[in-house]
Amino acid sequence: MRLAKNVLHDQKPIWGFPERVVRGKHWKPALAVALGTATLVALDPYTEPFFHDPSRFGAYKTGPLRGRNTTLAEVLTPVALYVTGPAIHSPHARNTGLLAAEGLAGAQIACFMMKQAVGRETPSDIPPDGSLRNTWFKYKGGLTNGGSFPSGHSASAFAVAAVISARYREHRWIPWAAYGAAAFLALSRLPDQAHFPSDIFIGGAIGYSGGRSCHERRSGR
């Protein structure tokens, strides 16, 4: 119950972020993310064809890095910390797992709303000779999958990584390992033809900012 309440409470600063940017707060990172996303969107028609070749990645969807497996890895990481904490008598680990789950859930809600709003086609839904430019407001998927933009996998991976890195920043190798694993899981969505590079970039930015702000608001736990 507390987790659900905290996740809903986290949505207020997420959706209030544009207003804070207009007021002059955090405008530099917001501008950097906006420019980075816009640049990658413009480059998507040129970068995506490499991954759009079925002869290269036709068997990828049934491999060990298919979407179902990476989703499990992202979800089970907070669960493992939460369960392991009491076993090793570490409230810090338990609370880290709880915060990571909170950050992941918050990032997923934000991605869900954005997916439904823009309805971008996924690369796998575009035929080999189809246009990789006109992809917006066209996705006809179900409610549980609104389209390609942004990448929920990337958001989840970076939300969990941001919380773990912040909670264990005294161990220098942990942030490197956490963000490295997050980047690996996020980029695995490219050969899977589930997302364009721009989808992954903005998803990672959403997850990182959500995870960091989640930790900062409850850093006393």
Side-chain angles (χ1 to χ4, degrees), residues 61 63-74 153 189 192:
K61 292 181 181 297
L65 291 177
R66 58 186 182 272
R68 181 180 62 188
N69 292 348
T70 53
T71 298
L72 282 174
E74 293 166 354
H153 275 77
R189 306 301 283 157
D192 201 20

Side-chain angles (χ1 to χ4, degrees), residues 36-95:
T37 303
T39 300
L40 288 173
V41 167
L43 291 175
D44 279 341
Y46 304 98
T47 55
E48 179 57 33
F50 176 80
F51 303 100
H52 214 64
D53 185 350
S55 64
R56 279 197 189 103
F57 304 105
Y60 190 88
K61 292 181 181 297
T62 59
L65 291 177
R66 58 186 182 272
R68 181 180 62 188
N69 292 348
T70 53
T71 298
L72 282 174
E74 293 166 354
V75 172
L76 291 179
T77 298
V79 173
L81 286 167
Y82 185 82
V83 172
T84 303
I88 62 175
H89 307 289
S90 174
H92 187 77
R94 178 182 180 274
N95 289 334

